[in-house]
Amino acid sequence: MPNQSYHLDKIFHALADPTRRSVMERLCRGPASVGELARPFDMALPSFLQHLKVLEQSGLLRSHKVGRVRTCQMEPQALEMTERWLVEQRTLWERRLDRLDDYLIDLINKEKEQ
Amino acid sequence: MPNQSYHLDKIFHALADPTRRSVMERLCRGPASVGELARPFDMALPSFLQHLKVLEQSGLLRSHKVGRVRTCQMEPQALEMTERWLVEQRTLWERRLDRLDDYLIDLINKEKEQ
DNA sequence: GCTATAGTTAGCCGTATGCCTAACCAATCC
DNA sequence: GGATTGGTTAGGCATACGGCTAACTATAGC
């Protein structure tokens, strides 16, 4: 059931690991092969591959294989969705603070009237 | 070692669960007690408490106890940090696309000159 | 065709996660 | 002060996660 929430689960989970975030940061600078991506990390290739799989299943990364080399690239749309959620939460919160503000101002004004 | 990256680990991990995101969504509408937060979920209280602990350790949630009731509220600053990371990634990506654009335009212009 | 290169699959292992129940404080309420 | 309410701790259990090695497949290069 790939609904919205499930998708966010995957994306946030994917980003909750420094190796995977690092890969995404690298991919911002352009596509790269698996080996190229793996090089900076002190980790066996199969372990690293699993990280790539997590990223790919979250939709943050796309890849295609040509010959024997698989090239990966970022899928920025997935980031956008996540960003939207975060911004929405913060906005709701701020709106609430505004309402609280209004409420308090109202209260103070009523105090004055008495 | 609570460095920047470690912090992001915690926050993204905290948000990678629908129950915890739901709690945050609720908290956008204002503070609430543990019991109040737990009510919508079909889950034993101790299980739910663990989710709250994860949120609190990530810095997304603050709480204080008065008498026997613990009140929780959102800490929007933690969200901001996460948002910054996401926006930065996307921005870098877009900047890259722009550079690629420039490069291609350049290439086309040189083609024309020949 | 043989060898080196780039990735992949299978399977193991310890720790973390997410759920539960049962038992336990500690304020309130009557 | 005894019962109720709101939350907490302890401990158990199944599954997921993140790492590893070893063995394998498939392309590229000579």
Side-chain angles (χ1 to χ4, degrees):
Chain A
M1 265 140 234
N3 59 47
Q4 180 93 348
S5 176
Y6 179 74
H7 227 109
L8 280 175
D9 286 6
K10 294 272 199 181
I11 294 177
F12 279 124
H13 170 67
L15 294 177
D17 177 282
T19 300
R20 292 193 291 258
R21 278 200 308 280
S22 211
V23 167
M24 291 312 287
E25 285 167 13
R26 163 64 190 80
L27 286 182
C28 282
R29 308 206 321 274
S33 72
V34 169
E36 213 173 321
L37 288 173
R39 203 164 307 133
F41 300 99
D42 184 22
M43 188 184 296
L45 234 186
S47 312
F48 183 76
L49 258 178
Q50 240 169 338
H51 285 301
L52 287 189
K53 200 184 285 179
V54 170
L55 284 172
E56 189 147 21
Q57 282 174 353
S58 78
L60 287 166
L61 181 153
R62 253 179 327 141
S63 77
H64 58 281
K65 202 167 177 177
V66 174
R68 66 185 170 179
V69 34
R70 175 177 298 281
T71 304
C72 303
Q73 69 176 310
M74 184 172 172
E75 183 56 81
Q77 281 192 312
L79 274 191
E80 265 176 65
M81 173 176 172
T82 316
E83 216 180 294
R84 253 203 311 280
W85 187 86
L86 285 174
V87 171
E88 187 174 325
Q89 300 316 304
R90 211 166 38 79
T91 306
L92 282 176
W93 173 261
E94 276 157 10
R95 203 172 296 158
R96 188 192 96 79
L97 286 188
D98 288 349
R99 278 203 308 275
L100 185 62
D101 248 25
D102 290 349
Y103 172 73
L104 290 177
I105 288 168
D106 226 50
L107 211 69
I108 290 166
N109 286 338
K110 275 179 186 156
E111 287 273 303
K112 281 185 188 160
E113 282 170 21
Q114 287 180 350
Chain B
M1 265 140 233
N3 58 48
Q4 180 94 347
S5 176
Y6 180 74
H7 226 109
L8 280 176
D9 286 7
K10 295 273 198 179
I11 294 177
F12 279 124
H13 169 67
L15 293 177
D17 177 283
T19 300
R20 293 194 289 261
R21 279 201 308 281
S22 210
V23 168
M24 291 310 288
E25 285 168 12
R26 163 65 189 79
L27 286 181
C28 282
R29 308 206 322 271
S33 72
V34 168
E36 213 173 321
L37 288 174
R39 203 163 307 134
F41 300 98
D42 185 22
M43 188 185 294
L45 234 186
S47 312
F48 183 76
L49 260 178
Q50 242 169 339
H51 285 300
L52 287 189
K53 199 184 285 179
V54 170
L55 284 172
E56 189 146 22
Q57 282 175 353
S58 79
L60 287 167
L61 180 154
R62 253 180 327 141
S63 77
H64 58 281
K65 203 166 176 178
V66 174
R68 66 185 170 180
V69 36
R70 176 177 297 282
T71 304
C72 302
Q73 67 176 312
M74 184 173 172
E75 182 57 80
Q77 281 191 314
L79 274 191
E80 264 175 67
M81 174 175 171
T82 316
E83 214 179 295
R84 251 202 314 278
W85 187 86
L86 285 174
V87 171
E88 188 175 325
Q89 301 316 304
R90 210 165 39 78
T91 306
L92 281 176
W93 172 262
E94 276 157 10
R95 203 172 298 158
R96 189 192 96 78
L97 285 188
D98 288 348
R99 277 203 308 274
L100 185 61
D101 247 25
D102 290 350
Y103 172 73
L104 290 178
I105 288 168
D106 227 48
L107 210 70
I108 290 165
N109 286 338
K110 275 178 187 157
E111 288 275 303
K112 282 184 189 161
E113 282 169 23
Q114 289 182 348

